[in-house]
Amino acid sequence: MMIVKISWRNVWRNKVRSGILIASIAIGLLGGIFTMALLNGMMESKVQESLITEMAHVQIHRKGFEINNNFRDSIPSYEKVVKIVETDSLTKGCSPRVVINGMASSANDSQGIKILGIDTQKERGVTEIESFLIEGDFFKGKRKNQIVIGSSLAKKLKVKIRSKVVIAYMGPNNEMINTAYRVAGIFATSSPDFDKSVAFTQSKDIWRNTGEQFIHEIAITSIEGGSKPEGLRDHLKESIANSSLNIQTWREIVPELSALAETGNTNSYIILGIILFALGFGILNSMTMAIWERSRELGVLMAVGLERSKVFLMIVLETIYISMIGGIIGAILSIVLITYYGEHGIQYAEMSLAGFNNVVYPIMPESFIPLFLMILLTAIVSALPPALRAIKLKPAEAVRYKG
Amino acid sequence: MIEIKNLVKTYNADTIPVKALDHVDLKIEEGEFTAVVGPSGCGKTTFLNILGGLDTPTNGTILIDGTDLHNRSSADMITYRRDHIGFVFQDYSLMPVLTAEENVEFIMELQGRPKAERAARSKALLEAVGIGDKGKQFPTKLSGGQQQRVAVARALASKPKLILADEPTANLDSKSTSDLLDIMRQLNEKENITFVIATHDQRVMDRAKRVIQFDDGKIIDTKI
């Protein structure tokens, strides 16, 4: 116990040195954790935006549709499937969709797009694309053949609200269907690719133009949220029990989106690792100085009977105390800053770039345990050289040391 | 009884050899109060270091109660020093982060003695050296004389039979020196503890039962 007490009191012998070291660890850790929270926030925002603009949490397709996007691969007896989905206890919202790949053309230009034919009311229960509108409305009028397009597509086609856009696609019997639509609304998400390649229209218009009623996709949200879509998927697999259908979570449909979130974590740990590596040298330097100054004292301790293993422990403990104090202060500062900016957001660019929102809301790491383990490891590794130097001291020489 | 036979210590044996101890033969009986004197560099401290197991001889043996002191491993030597030898240094060498009581208790804790025993003995020892009221003070709050008394109490904590003191009065004023010597002599007489003190101080020599004169690593004179 006395060793523990000595180590603790040794921390405070040179308050300036320990203070600087503790502050370095705290600030370094704050930087690491905050960067981690920012990256988490960016990735989560990207994932969330994908979920609320199109993806939802779970999707049902006919098997093979996701590969060929074949018009004929519609969901058989879809009304029955939709009913099962809507009555599931984990379902929050359910939107049956027609999904067609086609060409959007104006008098100026044309662009290949994916057309989502939706039931407006049901789509509102699943995605929030309406909240991204920058002009016009989301199928409020009763006019037929309206379309809501992204800002990038509008720019490319040089069209505005109420402009005419011709949508061409292969019909169910491999005939070319050309239909003129009026632009009802223009949305702008943080993803220029999405804004350029996806357009919404009403499924009833597509049904009327093709002469058939069908859907290709059922997008569903779970009451358990986007982070836990597996429960809903498993429920639906059991209740629908149709082997011709693929019932998948967003993670299964777009694994790269899921990987993106993981990438955020990996990047964070790499950044934190670099920070701690640099801090390790600071700790090593300070502890080496401290041991050098205390050589005589350590020699006396060994002379009067302190075993070398306890000298080693004493130095490692002192380093661990310093690192843990710095770690706790850093963690508290991080919690305060992340909580504040998690509510207010940080605007780090004038506009959204490369699919990432320009306002980031940092997200608290799920656990601080890995961080503390990293600090602990840094402390122990940094303490090893001075501790090994200390136990190699010869008492007879050390007691003559004048500092 | 301590029997020193043909003790030799040579530094820099591979380059320019310096003989710090040159064939020293000596017997120290239990309960002696011996001063080792001589000019700086004559080998006093080296002699004390080897006698205390802090350093090893180049040649020769030290038998304590018939057992070769240096015929043990490094770890065993640390335990031996802890349990059988007390050290008092010129600059007191107390742990600055421990109070006077804790400094005395420290060695007893290393010996694995129970807390209650440690506390009682620490208090008793500080009383014995005349600073019973300073137990809660840190060394920086104590005078040089008081710190050296704590150092003596610490040296006694493990109930050693031998105390080695290297210039214990060098930093003390006359009054503190006199008080410290009184305490050491009392312990020597009452507890039969053997004291070997390396010193330049005439006051220590005057109170010693035996004075051993060193020069150039050799014993040149012994007075009783």
Side-chain angles (χ1 to χ4, degrees):
Chain A
M1 277 303 290
M2 202 74 95
I3 292 294
V4 174
K5 196 183 276 185
I6 292 172
S7 299
W8 175 251
R9 289 181 185 170
N10 273 340
V11 171
W12 307 110
R13 279 174 76 169
N14 190 330
K15 290 190 177 72
V16 174
R17 181 162 58 204
S18 295
I20 290 171
L21 199 52
I22 288 167
S24 321
I25 294 167
I27 292 166
L29 193 67
L30 169 66
I33 296 176
F34 198 72
T35 306
M36 183 180 268
L38 266 182
L39 285 170
N40 280 347
M42 284 173 80
M43 301 307 167
E44 184 63 20
S45 151
K46 171 84 178 160
V47 169
Q48 279 306 316
E49 194 169 296
S50 294
L51 300 187
I52 63 169
T53 52
E54 184 197 355
M55 187 64 60
H57 304 157
V58 172
Q59 290 189 352
I60 302 175
H61 301 99
R62 186 170 184 161
K63 271 188 181 158
F65 177 79
E66 70 279 9
I67 300 166
N68 304 316
N69 273 9
N70 194 321
F71 206 104
R72 305 281 345 152
D73 286 334
S74 58
I75 296 173
S77 310
Y78 77 87
E79 295 96 337
K80 197 176 147 192
V81 178
V82 168
K83 197 164 185 180
I84 295 171
V85 171
E86 284 176 336
T87 53
D88 192 282
S89 60
L90 291 180
T91 298
K92 187 179 173 194
C94 161
S95 175
R97 294 166 174 169
V98 175
V99 183
I100 302 170
N101 289 318
M103 181 71 75
S105 306
S106 69
N108 301 299
D109 210 340
S110 56
Q111 171 71 36
I113 59 166
K114 179 163 91 171
I115 304 141
L116 293 179
I118 56 167
D119 176 319
T120 313
Q121 285 307 319
K122 289 188 173 171
E123 187 65 25
R124 281 195 182 107
V126 172
T127 60
E128 295 172 23
I129 193 68
E130 196 173 359
S131 66
F132 290 88
L133 286 183
I134 53 170
E135 281 184 80
D137 59 56
F138 198 63
F139 306 112
K140 275 187 182 158
K142 292 190 174 176
R143 294 177 64 167
K144 294 173 188 169
N145 294 345
Q146 293 186 85
I147 193 164
V148 173
I149 61 173
S151 55
S152 303
L153 183 61
K155 197 174 171 186
K156 177 143 200 254
L157 299 179
K158 296 191 178 82
V159 294
K160 301 182 287 189
I161 296 295
R162 282 190 290 281
S163 292
K164 191 172 81 173
V165 174
V166 175
I167 303 294
Y169 52 90
M170 296 289 281
N173 300 311
N174 288 336
E175 75 283 24
M176 186 61 92
I177 296 175
N178 290 285
T179 311
Y181 285 82
R182 290 279 171 193
V183 177
I186 298 173
F187 61 82
T189 68
S190 63
S191 169
D193 281 347
F194 181 79
D195 294 353
K196 198 173 184 178
S197 61
V198 177
F200 293 84
T201 184
Q202 297 189 83
S203 48
K204 61 187 180 189
D205 290 337
I206 296 174
W207 292 339
R208 190 179 57 252
N209 296 330
T210 57
E212 289 186 30
Q213 193 165 332
F214 52 89
I215 65 159
H216 298 111
E217 176 176 290
I218 303 171
I220 313 146
T221 48
S222 166
I223 56 168
E224 293 181 324
S227 58
K228 292 176 186 169
E230 289 78 14
L232 175 60
R233 176 200 60 194
D234 296 344
H235 258 214
L236 295 177
K237 273 187 174 175
E238 198 175 320
S239 52
I240 294 169
N242 184 338
S243 60
S244 71
L245 298 180
N246 252 344
I247 303 172
Q248 296 168 293
T249 66
W250 63 268
R251 286 197 184 97
E252 292 165 319
I253 299 166
V254 200
E256 60 271 24
L257 203 58
S258 177
L260 195 65
E262 293 301 317
T263 309
N265 276 334
T266 310
N267 289 343
S268 308
Y269 281 114
I270 291 170
I271 291 168
L272 195 66
I274 293 168
I275 290 171
L276 288 176
F277 185 71
L279 282 176
F281 280 99
I283 297 171
L284 172 66
N285 181 48
S286 282
M287 289 311 293
T288 305
M289 282 296 294
I291 298 313
W292 185 67
E293 286 170 8
R294 291 183 213 150
S295 290
R296 177 176 167 78
E297 191 175 301
L298 292 168
V300 170
L301 286 176
M302 285 192 270
V304 300
L306 184 66
E307 295 101 320
R308 290 177 196 276
S309 59
K310 285 182 178 159
V311 173
F312 187 87
L313 178 68
M314 196 169 80
I315 293 159
V316 172
L317 269 181
E318 185 179 337
T319 317
I320 289 174
Y321 286 143
I322 288 174
S323 305
M324 282 293 139
I325 295 167
I328 289 166
I329 294 173
I332 291 169
L333 289 176
S334 303
I335 289 168
V336 170
L337 273 187
I338 294 168
T339 306
Y340 178 80
Y341 285 109
E343 281 176 25
H344 296 87
I346 298 173
Q347 184 170 356
Y348 73 97
E350 281 301 311
M351 53 188 291
S352 300
L353 295 167
F356 289 96
N357 206 308
N358 62 332
V359 179
V360 178
Y361 295 87
I363 294 173
M364 200 80 75
E366 280 183 14
S367 167
F368 280 79
I369 292 171
L371 299 173
F372 277 101
L373 289 178
M374 284 173 81
I375 298 170
L376 195 64
L377 187 69
T378 307
I380 292 171
V381 170
S382 310
L384 285 181
L388 290 171
R389 182 185 181 273
I391 61 170
K392 282 181 188 161
L393 286 172
K394 291 177 180 165
E397 289 170 16
V399 294
R400 284 201 295 269
Y401 183 76
K402 299 292 181 194
Chain B
M1 186 181 74
I2 302 167
E3 197 173 354
I4 298 155
K5 291 181 180 171
N6 198 27
L7 197 64
V8 176
K9 179 67 182 180
T10 309
Y11 292 111
N12 308 327
D14 300 332
T15 52
I16 305 163
V18 176
K19 251 186 188 170
L21 293 176
D22 190 2
H23 301 283
V24 173
D25 291 291
L26 184 67
K27 281 183 184 172
I28 300 171
E29 298 295 336
E30 193 173 327
E32 275 200 34
F33 195 90
T34 303
V36 178
V37 300
S40 293
C42 70
K44 302 188 297 289
T45 299
T46 303
F47 175 71
L48 242 58
N49 284 343
I50 294 176
L51 189 56
L54 298 178
D55 207 349
T56 50
T58 310
N59 259 315
T61 52
I62 296 177
L63 302 175
I64 298 182
D65 295 331
T67 308
D68 187 347
L69 172 67
H70 292 95
N71 190 20
R72 26 174 79 86
S73 68
S74 169
D76 285 347
M77 184 62 94
I78 289 174
T79 315
Y80 182 84
R81 283 200 301 265
R82 185 191 69 195
D83 295 337
H84 298 95
I85 304 171
F87 290 90
V88 179
F89 300 96
Q90 178 180 337
D91 65 351
Y92 333 125
S93 294
L94 299 173
M95 276 297 285
V97 294
L98 297 181
T99 62
E101 272 177 8
E102 288 167 342
N103 263 288
V104 179
E105 273 188 52
F106 183 57
I107 292 172
M108 291 187 271
E109 187 183 289
L110 295 178
Q111 289 180 310
R113 296 206 206 159
K115 185 165 176 49
E117 184 193 334
R118 293 195 317 253
R121 182 161 171 77
S122 156
K123 209 170 174 186
L125 286 170
L126 289 173
E127 290 283 353
V129 296
I131 49 167
D133 58 334
K134 305 288 182 191
K136 302 290 179 198
Q137 300 282 347
F138 284 94
T140 47
K141 301 285 178 193
L142 301 174
S143 69
Q146 289 168 333
Q147 287 188 59
Q148 199 60 298
R149 289 175 191 219
V150 178
V152 171
R154 177 180 69 181
L156 292 165
S158 64
K159 298 183 181 170
K161 279 290 172 195
L162 171 66
I163 288 187
L164 303 174
D166 191 4
E167 305 278 6
T169 58
N171 295 335
L172 302 184
D173 58 30
S174 300
K175 170 82 170 61
S176 299
T177 298
S178 174
D179 291 347
L180 186 74
L181 287 171
D182 286 344
I183 291 163
M184 289 164 112
R185 279 306 302 260
Q186 273 177 29
L187 289 164
N188 170 247
E189 279 158 17
K190 283 186 188 168
E191 314 267 342
N192 202 32
I193 297 169
T194 309
F195 279 80
V196 179
I197 306 166
T199 187
H200 281 106
D201 194 333
Q202 188 58 48
R203 293 165 296 187
V204 179
M205 294 177 221
D206 293 344
R207 302 286 295 271
K209 291 179 188 168
R210 178 156 71 139
V211 176
I212 298 167
Q213 176 97 35
F214 268 73
D215 198 8
D216 283 340
K218 292 178 181 168
I219 294 174
I220 56 167
D221 192 17
T222 302
K223 287 177 191 163
I224 296 175

